[in-house]
């Protein structure tokens, strides 16, 4: 059986992964440095942690459920303890793309990140409908990149991804650079920023005397139908008034050069700021 060493097993993400790995066919060794994290893992999953050297000895896969800012330090601390052919799984493209992983040609680096459940779906169960983060009941997409290592290792990395993010609807293979364009580029720099702006816009409407409940209902309802049409989920056409508002709204809200956030240098600068 494949042996997985899970580093950071008692953290928020580590516990999520531990719960899913407990339902898989992988043999898992849990590592957590903090006493609070070890207690959290024991309460949530019912498993005990082992020391780092024990976990790494003979491990086929090492999953790093640690913060982006710690990945370089943690990876450098374990790199000489890994056997040749070991796969190291990183859960975000930031640190790998920024060059924080130590060089060693005879191990595999595999990067995997969840898409999270989509807004538009037809899930029948309440558990799935309420699973907005993913990894519990709502099938989600997952993005994978084989950064280095033999092509045959992609299947193992994909299997690990499907286990830790289960249930998984579909996996997508990209490069590490492409994953960096997805996050932080698309998901955080653009999407998260614009959502914050929409919340701020709603707050401005509330200042005019409209109740917060009314403004929120109105905004989220329009986000639903407008988004469905814009992203091709539902056929439809906007009114002439709406199209005219968009025509004048985009230049009023967005700088002409806003797409420069997707230039390679800016993506790298964004990643360096968070790592």
């Amino acid at each position: 059986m494949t042996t997985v060493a899970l580093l950071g097993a008692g953290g928020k993400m580590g516990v999520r992964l531990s719960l899913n790995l407990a339902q898989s066919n992988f043999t898992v060794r849990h590592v957590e440095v903090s006493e609070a994290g070890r207690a959290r893992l024991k309460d949530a999953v019912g498993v005990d942690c082992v020391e780092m050297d024990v976990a790494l000895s003979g491990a086929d896969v090492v999953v790093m459920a640690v913060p982006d800012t710690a990945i370089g330090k943690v990876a450098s601390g374990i790199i000489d303890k890994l056997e040749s052919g070991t796969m190291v799984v990183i859960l975000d493209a930031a640190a790998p793309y920024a060059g924080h992983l130590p060089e060693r040609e005879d191990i595999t680096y595999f990067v995997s990140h969840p898409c999270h459940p989509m807004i538009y779906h037809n899930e029948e169960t309440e558990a799935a409908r309420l699973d907005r983060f993913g990894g519990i009941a709502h099938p989600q997409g997952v993005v994978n990149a084989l950064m280095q290592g033999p092509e045959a290792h992609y299947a193992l990395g994909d299997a690990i991804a499907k286990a830790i993010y289960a249930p998984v609807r579909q996996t997508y293979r990209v490069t590490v650079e492409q994953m960096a364009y997805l996050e932080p580029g698309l998901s955080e720099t653009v999407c998260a920023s614009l959502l914050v702006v929409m919340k701020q816009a709603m707050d401005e409407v509330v200042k005019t005397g409209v109740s917060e409940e009314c403004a929120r209902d109105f905004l989220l309802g329009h986000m639903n139908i407008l988004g469905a049409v814009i992203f091709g989920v539902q056929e439809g056409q906007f009114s002439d008034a709406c199209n005219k508002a968009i025509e004048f709204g985009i230049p009023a809200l967005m700088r002409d050069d806003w797409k420069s956030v997707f230039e390679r240098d800016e993506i790298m600068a964004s990643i360096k700021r968070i790592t």
Side-chain angles (χ1 to χ4, degrees):
M1 295 181 66
T2 301
T3 299
V4 176
L6 177 60
L7 312 190
K12 186 175 181 180
M13 193 63 187
V15 170
R16 286 177 176 271
L17 271 54
S18 296
L19 286 167
N20 278 348
L21 285 169
Q23 303 177 57
S24 73
N25 292 324
F26 297 111
T27 298
V28 185
R29 300 170 183 168
H30 304 81
V31 177
E32 174 57 51
V33 296
S34 74
E35 289 299 325
R38 292 187 177 201
R40 186 185 307 116
L41 183 68
K42 182 68 172 180
D43 291 341
V45 191
V47 296
D48 294 310
C49 291
V50 299
E51 295 304 312
M52 182 73 78
D53 289 349
V54 174
L56 297 179
S57 178
D60 302 293
V61 179
V62 178
V63 177
M64 301 186 64
V66 299
D68 289 335
T69 53
I71 286 178
K73 180 179 179 179
V74 174
S76 296
I78 68 171
I79 192 68
D80 293 333
K81 301 177 181 180
L82 304 180
E83 296 183 4
S84 179
T86 301
M87 173 181 289
V88 177
V89 177
I90 304 95
L91 307 181
D92 190 280
Y97 190 60
H100 294 320
L101 297 180
E103 294 186 9
R104 183 172 163 183
E105 295 182 355
D106 64 335
I107 66 169
T108 294
Y109 283 133
F110 190 90
V111 188
S112 183
H113 194 79
C115 296
H116 304 298
M118 290 194 298
I119 294 174
Y120 302 106
H121 59 83
N122 296 306
E123 298 305 315
E124 296 182 357
T125 68
E126 183 176 14
R129 291 192 295 271
L130 295 178
D131 181 17
R132 299 183 179 96
F133 186 89
I136 298 175
H138 190 145
Q140 63 180 326
V142 175
V143 181
N144 295 327
L146 181 63
M147 184 175 182
Q148 73 171 48
E151 177 62 26
H153 274 192
Y154 181 83
L156 174 59
D158 189 67
I160 293 290
K162 289 176 178 176
I164 63 178
Y165 298 129
V168 172
R169 183 186 71 258
Q170 183 175 351
T171 59
Y172 305 91
R173 184 170 183 176
V174 300
T175 65
V176 172
E177 182 175 71
Q178 289 170 333
M179 193 180 292
Y181 281 99
L182 291 169
E183 183 165 304
L186 182 61
S187 64
E188 296 174 344
T189 303
V190 176
C191 182
S193 297
L194 292 180
L195 287 171
V196 169
V197 168
M198 283 193 282
K199 174 58 168 61
Q200 292 173 345
M202 189 195 84
D203 292 341
E204 290 301 306
V205 172
V206 171
K207 290 178 182 179
T208 70
V210 177
S211 72
E212 183 172 350
E213 182 181 8
C214 173
R216 185 173 182 271
D217 198 347
F218 200 83
L219 177 59
L220 295 184
H222 279 73
M223 285 174 62
N224 186 37
I225 182 57
L226 294 173
V229 173
I230 290 170
F231 285 95
V233 176
Q234 178 173 320
E235 291 186 7
Q237 293 183 342
F238 294 159
S239 67
D240 292 341
C242 182
N243 286 327
K244 186 64 68 175
I246 293 170
E247 179 184 349
F248 284 87
I250 290 178
L253 296 170
M254 307 294 292
R255 288 172 26 177
D256 291 341
D257 65 344
W258 73 265
K259 292 182 182 178
S260 64
V261 299
F262 289 107
E263 292 177 359
R264 180 177 294 180
D265 289 346
E266 179 53 36
I267 291 290
M268 180 59 76
S270 177
I271 284 176
K272 287 184 176 180
R273 287 192 290 268
I274 64 177
T275 60

